[in-house]
Amino acid sequence: MFWPELASVDPFASLRRLQRDMNRLMDAYGGEGRESFPAVNVWSSADEVLVKAEVPGIEPKDLDIMVQGDQLTLQGERKAEELSKDVVCHRAERGSGRFIRTFRLPFEVDNARVEAKYAHGILTIRLPRTETSKPRKIAISAEG
């Protein structure tokens, strides 16, 4: 038997929402091995740290970047897509909602010179190293 009024009801929507909420909760307690959003690559050279984050579908105004000492915090929100009531969802793998990620950088950075650019869903952050955190060669004087 088929009930047309139930054809648009997704019986698993609540279950997916619960799973998403549980995943966020576990991430907050160091859920290692799980993918975190956004996906991030971090590189460093002698002079700077370069961070690239994949943030497709997020407007730059919905992102916040904070730097203090050797820590970078990236947070924001991916808004849920607004769908009409006559649409049936068959698969929903792209999450929505608030996120926050904090990274310990390999050295202290000069937060006054940090630059961030956004293009094609990629956020690129350049974090220059502070002069005081750079290694300094010490001259040795000989006595005698």
Side-chain angles (χ1 to χ4, degrees):
M1 202 181 273
F2 179 75
W3 291 280
E5 64 273 4
L6 293 178
S8 65
V9 176
D10 181 1
F12 299 106
S14 295
L15 188 58
R16 279 195 302 274
R17 189 172 32 257
L18 176 63
Q19 181 180 18
R20 214 173 24 248
D21 292 344
M22 290 301 295
N23 287 344
R24 269 194 221 121
L25 179 66
M26 292 300 126
D27 283 347
Y29 290 101
E32 303 299 328
R34 284 196 31 35
E35 276 190 51
S36 294
F37 182 84
V40 174
N41 288 343
V42 180
W43 299 276
S44 70
S45 67
D47 296 321
E48 70 178 1
V49 176
L50 179 67
V51 176
K52 287 196 174 197
E54 294 181 355
V55 288
I58 299 176
E59 296 294 324
K61 67 179 177 51
D62 294 327
L63 294 168
D64 288 318
I65 302 167
M66 289 166 280
V67 179
Q68 184 173 10
D70 67 346
Q71 286 199 338
L72 167 70
T73 300
L74 177 60
Q75 62 182 341
E77 181 175 9
R78 181 164 36 193
K79 307 249 192 273
E81 294 182 62
E82 297 290 326
L83 302 174
S84 63
K85 293 192 181 243
D86 63 336
V87 173
V88 177
C89 178
H90 292 280
R91 182 176 295 254
E93 294 180 356
R94 294 186 63 208
S96 61
R98 297 205 48 79
F99 62 88
I100 183 167
R101 296 211 49 203
T102 299
F103 306 94
R104 182 164 300 268
L105 303 171
F107 41 73
E108 198 169 298
V109 298
D110 183 353
N111 59 5
R113 297 184 349 190
V114 173
E115 297 176 1
K117 294 181 181 175
Y118 180 89
H120 309 293
I122 304 293
L123 176 65
T124 302
I125 308 167
R126 289 192 175 281
L127 302 121
R129 188 172 192 168
T130 60
E131 289 300 318
T132 57
S133 74
K134 289 182 180 178
R136 187 173 67 104
K137 186 168 178 137
I138 307 298
I140 302 171
S141 61
E143 291 183 23

